[in-house]
Amino acid sequence: MTTHPTIEQHPDLAEMRARFEQATTTPRAQAVEALALLTGVYLAASPWIAGFSGLTALAVTNLILGIAYAACMGGFGSAYERTHAMAWCAVAIGAFTIVAPWVVSGNVDTTRTVWNNVIVGAVAVLLGAAMAATGDRRAGSARSRGGRRSRTP
């Protein structure tokens, strides 16, 4: 009787986990994660900070988007390999934040709400893309190094 190893015992999986762990321990990744978490908290609280909490539809939208963004980006420190793909979800949340003043019901596209959401949304998109690129760049460089070493004339 033969036993087949599980996917958890695959040598590539251990190497991938080590690479993702290394990616999250860099000062750049830690700074991006901290800034992203602060961005999510600000987005959630922005209606009360910037003074448009009276526009209930946008205030609730920003609250939900901010909590979702902080949850997406805040999980990287503890489980990077499982949450790395969520960085692209954070990019989508940032993009929706930018257009929210025009797509949320009601007349909420005031100067204050537009400036707030466009700036916070752009920061959210950039931080999400930076976090998504962190693992991709390391994976690509490891593949290219491995590819050059394995080539023989």
Side-chain angles (χ1 to χ4, degrees), residues 30-80:
Q30 291 172 350
V32 168
E33 182 181 356
L35 289 173
L37 190 58
L38 288 173
T39 300
V41 170
Y42 175 79
L43 178 58
S46 66
W48 295 273
I49 294 171
F52 58 90
S53 61
L55 303 172
T56 308
L58 188 61
V60 170
T61 300
N62 279 12
L63 178 65
I64 293 169
L65 291 174
I67 292 169
Y69 188 83
C72 281
M73 296 299 281
F76 286 108
S78 62
Y80 183 78

